[in-house]
Amino acid sequence: MGREATITYEQVAAAADAMKAAGGKPTSRGIRERLGNTGSMGTVNKLLQAWKAAQERQVSATLFLPPVLQRAILDFIGQELSRAKAALEAELAEQQQEAADLAAENERQGADIEDKNDAAVALQATLATLQGRLGQIEIDLATARNDALREREAAEATRIELAKALLRLEAMPRLEADLGALRLDLDKERQGRVAAEQQAAVLDAKLEAANERTSKAEAAAIDAATETRKQTEAVFVEAGKAEAAKNALAHLSGKLDALQAQMEQQAGELNAARRSTAKVGAEAEPRGKAKKEAKDEPGLLSPD
C-alpha cells in the first residue's frame, strides 16, 4: 500500500506563485524548502510540473492578437530568445540538477524499498520458523497433556491399590488371630492324633497278642479234642476199664469246659480291642479332614 502524500497541489501552486511574484524562479528544491522540507522531491516536482503546464495554458489562452502585432511580437521574441538563452540554459541546468536529485531520491527510495523487501523476506522466514516452532510446541503440549492424563490415571490406580492394601493391613490382626487359633487347633489335633496313634498301636499290640493267644488256645483245643478222641477210643477199646474211662472222660470234659471258657474270654477281649480301634479311628477321621481343609484354604496356615 503506497504512502499518502504529505503535500497537495494547492500548497505547491501557492508556493510557486509566491516565488514568481517575488521575482524568483519556482524550483522543486525551493518550493520544498518553503514548505518546510515536507514531502518527497518526486512529489514536489510532479506537482510543480503540473503548475507550469497550467501557466502555459493560461498564456496560450490570452494570445488573441492581430497578425501584424503577432509578427512584431514574434520578431521581438526571436530577439529576446537569444538574450534569454542564458536564462534557459541556467533553467535547463537547474532542471538537470533536479532530475539528478530525483534520480538520487529514487535510487535512495529503491534501496529503501529493497531493504524493506529483504526485511519482509526475513520476517516471512522468521514467521515460518515461528509457525513451525508453534506447531511443535502444540504437538509437545498435546503430548504433555496425554502424559499428564496417563500419570493421573496411574496415580488413581495406585491410590486404589493403596486403599486395598490398607484394608488388607487393617484385617491382618483378625487374620493373625484366626491363624493363631487354627494353629492351636492344629497342634491339639496333632497331639490327639499322636495319642490316638499310640493308643491304636497299643490296641494293635493287644489285638495281636489276643490273636496269638486265641490261635494257641485253638491249637490247644484241637490237640485236646484229638487227645480226647483218642482217649475215648481207648476207653471204648478197653471196655474192661470202664471206671477209669469214665473218670478220664469227666476229666477231659472239665478240661474242654475250661478251654471253652478261656476261648470265650479271649474272644471278648478281641472284640473289645476291635471296638476300641474302630472308635479311635472314627475320632481321628474328622480331625484329619479338618486339617486337610485348613491346609487347602489359601493363605490361612502359611507362616509367612
Side-chain angles (χ1 to χ4, degrees), residues 68-132:
V68 176
L69 184 58
Q70 290 181 8
R71 183 177 299 276
I73 292 173
L74 290 175
D75 293 340
F76 176 75
I77 291 173
Q79 296 173 1
E80 291 295 326
L81 285 176
S82 299
R83 292 192 295 268
K85 185 177 180 179
L88 292 174
E89 289 178 353
E91 184 178 357
L92 177 62
E94 185 178 354
Q95 292 291 335
Q96 290 176 348
Q97 182 62 40
E98 289 182 359
D101 293 340
L102 288 173
E105 179 70 15
N106 291 334
E107 184 177 358
R108 183 188 64 78
Q109 291 183 356
D112 189 21
I113 292 172
E114 185 177 357
D115 292 340
K116 291 180 178 179
N117 289 333
D118 294 339
V121 172
L123 288 174
Q124 289 178 352
T126 303
L127 178 61
T129 303
L130 292 176
Q131 288 176 346

Side-chain angles (χ1 to χ4, degrees), residues 231 246-256:
Q231 291 178 3
K246 184 180 180 179
N247 293 332
L249 182 60
H251 178 70
L252 289 174
S253 296
K255 289 178 67 176
L256 285 173

Side-chain angles (χ1 to χ4, degrees), residues 34 53 61 69 72 79 101 121 136 138 142 227 282 287 291 303:
R34 181 178 286 271
L69 184 58
Q79 296 173 1
D101 293 340
V121 172
Q136 184 62 40
E138 290 177 350
E227 183 65 25
R287 295 177 180 175
K291 176 186 176 184

